[in-house]
C-alpha cells in the first residue's frame, strides 16, 4: 500500500512529478514545446539586470525580472520586456503572463500592456500578489 512521506530534498520527487505530469500533458495535448531563456542587461561585462522566461506551448511565463536600482526608470525595463516578448514570438508564443507583488512592479507591467487577471491578498505587511497577462 502506498504511503505519504514529507521530504526536505526535492530532487527525486520533483523529477518523478515532472516526468509523470509531462507524459500526461503530452497524452492530452500532444508533444509540446518547452523552452527556457534569459535576456540580460549588461554594463560592460557586469550583468546589472535580466529577465528569465519559459515558453510552454504558446505561452510565455516571465519567471524572474530584476534591474539594479541605479538603472531603473531609464527605459531599460521596457526594452527587456520587449526583447523577451520578441524572442517568445520567434518561438511561436501568442500570450505572456507574469506575477508580481504589490511592492514590486504591477504598474510597470500595466504600462507595458499587461492586464490583471487575478490577485491574492494576505501576504505579510498588506502585500498583494498580482497576475497579469498580455496578448503577443
Amino acid at each position: 500500500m502506498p504511503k505519504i512521506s514529507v521530504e526536505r530534498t526535492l530532487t527525486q520527487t520533483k523529477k518523478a512529478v515532472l516526468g509523470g505530469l509531462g507524459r500526461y500533458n503530452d497524452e492530452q495535448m500532444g508533444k509540446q514545446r518547452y523552452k527556457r531563456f534569459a535576456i540580460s542587461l549588461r554594463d560592460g561585462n557586469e550583468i546589472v539586470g535580466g529577465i528569465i522566461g519559459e515558453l510552454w506551448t504558446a505561452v510565455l511565463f516571465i519567471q524572474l525580472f530584476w534591474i539594479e536600482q541605479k538603472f531603473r526608470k531609464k527605459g531599460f525595463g521596457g526594452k527587456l520586456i520587449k526583447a523577451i516578448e520578441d524572442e517568445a514570438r520567434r518561438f511561436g508564443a501568442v500570450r505572456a503572463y507574469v506575477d508580481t507583488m504589490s511592492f514590486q512592479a504591477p504598474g510597470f507591467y500595466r504600462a507595458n500592456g499587461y492586464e490583471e487577471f487575478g490577485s491574492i491578498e494576505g501576504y505579510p505587511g498588506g502585500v498583494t500578489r498580482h497576475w497579469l497577462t498580455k496578448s503577443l
Side-chain angles (χ1 to χ4, degrees), residues 14-133:
K14 183 177 179 181
K15 185 177 179 180
V17 169
L18 284 173
L21 186 58
R23 287 187 300 278
Y24 178 76
N25 289 345
D26 289 349
E27 289 170 10
Q28 301 304 309
M29 298 171 60
K31 185 74 174 158
Q32 299 294 312
R33 287 178 301 216
Y34 177 79
K35 283 205 167 292
R36 294 185 78 191
F37 50 96
I39 310 289
S40 64
L41 177 63
R42 294 175 179 262
D43 187 23
N45 290 327
E46 183 182 359
I47 295 175
V48 296
I51 186 167
I52 297 170
E54 63 181 24
L55 179 75
W56 182 61
T57 67
V59 179
L60 167 67
F61 170 46
I62 297 173
Q63 247 180 343
L64 302 167
F65 189 8
W66 163 80
I67 297 176
E68 194 172 292
Q69 192 68 37
K70 70 180 180 179
F71 294 102
R72 294 180 187 175
K73 300 189 187 277
K74 296 182 178 181
F76 295 116
K79 289 177 182 177
L80 284 169
I81 285 284
K82 182 178 179 337
I84 200 163
E85 291 172 352
D86 289 346
E87 188 67 12
R89 279 187 201 96
R90 279 192 276 284
F91 291 125
V94 297
R95 178 157 294 283
Y97 77 100
V98 63
D99 69 280
T100 188
M101 301 301 225
S102 55
F103 65 89
Q104 291 174 327
F108 167 80
Y109 290 108
R110 287 185 192 105
N112 281 277
Y114 286 75
E115 295 178 355
E116 187 165 331
F117 67 91
S119 64
I120 296 177
E121 298 176 346
Y123 287 87
V127 172
T128 300
R129 189 172 193 170
H130 302 269
W131 277 267
L132 301 100
T133 187

